[in-house]
Amino acid sequence: MKTATPATARAINDRLALDLLIERGPLTAPQLRTLTGLSRPTVSDLLERLMEGGLIQVAGEYGEDRRGPNARLYGLVPDRAHVAGVDLRRDAVTATVADIAGGVAGEATRTIRGELDALVEQTIRDAAGGRALDTVVIGAPGLVDPRTGELVSASDVPGWRPGLIGALRRRLGAPVVLENEVNLAAVAESRTGSAAGSEDFVLMWLDDGIGAAVVLGGRLRRGASGGAGEVGMLEVDGMAFCELVSPDVTGGLDRAELAARIARGAFALVTILDPGLVVLGGRTGHQGGDELAGLVTERLRALAPAPTEVRASTVEGNAVLQGAVLTALDLVRDHVFG
């Protein structure tokens, strides 16, 4: 049995402290000792080490009447790295740039026209405002092969072509990762939305595109070829599920009929996966709110043997974009923090 080396122990303690600063913001040395259970000398050493490494800085003092080293607040150096999250849809591309602490540094949106490579690059550069980017994560419709990081089939985005992601890597001079947009929305839902604290759930995406994302055991499940959760292709009552619940047809339906249609698609996911929780996302899920979620719960209870809670998405704003930023931050923090 191998034991941890002093270097490994230091690395683990450093990352523990950094994660706490990400989660809670600036902290004092006593607060870090309380939260980590580490000794005074160990915390003192790691703070010195992280400051010398340019990862943290003194961010102020704790309490107006306190002075001395223990009163100092330590926080991340936000400009140590920057990431971009991108939502690439059929009509527009939107980018958000954030610092390593998660603070938004810039945003930009452009309507899709002309050469897609140049358009996406310029949108990202507009959001970056001259800042160097360490990681870029792009969410787009379609199946993304987990092994290659490329689309399995053609995207609905106008101007998409094979090799686009590689071209963007060269143009931006930074790592660029492609992910299915519904999977990224599920990342946001698990961190800040209705699925926060849930290890198992399915996000049903009810928008211009219809699909689902599967999270089991706290991990996003993509499937062998990136097709896990593609419920839009499911045949329901002789029609594709995406045709039954697309915004083009659901606008004239009453809530009861809409809930019945959604429940029939959710039934297949619940029967096979038993996630315990289904989140209704996208435009339809948000607009339907708790009322629609309750109606789907009732319909689903009559169909499925496994008890399942249905909730409306509570992610504010663009869930795909938020998931892209969160995923990019995870990647860059692992790289910078170790």
Side-chain angles (χ1 to χ4, degrees):
M1 181 178 178
K2 294 183 179 180
T3 57
T5 65
T8 301
R10 286 193 295 270
I12 292 171
N13 291 339
D14 289 355
R15 185 58 193 264
L16 177 59
L18 289 166
D19 285 344
L20 284 168
L21 292 174
I22 291 169
E23 178 185 349
R24 296 172 180 257
L27 297 168
T28 64
Q31 287 171 333
L32 281 169
R33 290 201 301 270
T34 299
L35 292 168
T36 62
L38 299 174
S39 67
R40 180 188 294 267
T42 299
V43 170
S44 178
D45 287 345
L46 76 81
L47 287 174
E48 182 178 354
R49 192 162 55 246
L50 294 175
M51 289 187 70
E52 289 178 353
L55 297 177
I56 67 170
Q57 61 188 1
V58 176
E61 292 186 347
Y62 182 72
E64 295 180 356
D65 58 343
R66 298 186 61 181
R67 294 293 182 269
N70 287 344
R72 292 176 179 171
L73 281 166
Y74 297 91
L76 298 177
V77 177
D79 290 337
R80 179 60 187 266
H82 288 88
V83 303
V86 181
D87 181 14
L88 183 54
R89 299 294 182 98
R90 297 170 180 85
D91 57 349
V93 55
T94 304
T96 295
V97 168
D99 60 42
I100 199 169
V104 174
E107 299 175 306
T109 299
R110 287 185 174 226
T111 300
I112 291 183
R113 63 168 66 93
E115 182 191 356
L116 189 60
D117 304 37
L119 178 69
V120 174
E121 177 194 7
Q122 192 56 55
T123 306
I124 294 170
R125 291 196 183 280
D126 288 347
R131 299 174 181 86
L133 295 175
D134 295 82
T135 300
V136 178
V137 172
I138 298 176
L143 277 62
V144 179
D145 190 322
R147 296 161 296 185
T148 66
E150 298 287 345
L151 284 178
V152 175
S153 57
S155 172
D156 292 337
V157 175
W160 188 279
R161 63 175 180 80
L164 175 66
I165 298 302
L168 287 171
R169 292 187 185 113
R170 293 188 293 273
R171 283 174 174 266
L172 295 168
V176 178
V177 176
L178 178 66
E179 179 61 274
N180 172 266
E181 90 274 36
V182 182
N183 285 345
L184 292 177
V187 171
E189 204 67 55
S190 69
R191 303 283 186 89
T192 65
S194 294
S198 298
E199 290 284 302
D200 306 296
F201 73 95
V202 167
L203 170 65
M204 292 192 70
W205 190 251
L206 306 168
D207 210 294
D208 291 335
I210 306 297
V214 178
V215 175
L216 297 175
R219 291 179 54 197
L220 185 65
R221 306 292 175 164
R222 298 174 175 84
S225 60
E230 287 296 328
V231 71
M233 303 177 184
L234 183 71
E235 184 176 311
V236 177
D237 297 336
M239 295 179 63
F241 181 64
C242 61
E243 297 176 2
L244 285 175
V245 295
S246 70
D248 294 338
V249 300
T250 57
L253 300 177
D254 61 35
R255 287 292 176 89
E257 175 58 24
L258 176 58
R261 293 187 179 195
I262 294 172
R264 288 199 288 273
F267 169 66
L269 295 168
V270 168
T271 302
I272 296 170
L273 300 174
D274 187 20
L277 171 64
V278 172
V279 178
L280 305 182
R283 190 193 322 164
T284 299
H286 266 287
Q287 292 178 349
D290 293 340
E291 179 186 357
L292 179 61
L295 291 170
V296 175
T297 298
E298 294 175 6
R299 293 283 186 169
L300 200 54
R301 188 180 297 124
L303 294 172
T308 305
E309 184 178 2
V310 181
R311 302 175 189 166
S313 170
T314 54
V315 175
E316 295 295 334
N318 187 326
V320 175
L321 195 59
Q322 291 182 44
V325 171
L326 289 167
T327 301
L329 285 171
D330 287 345
L331 293 171
V332 80
R333 287 167 179 167
D334 283 346
H335 174 70
V336 174
F337 295 161

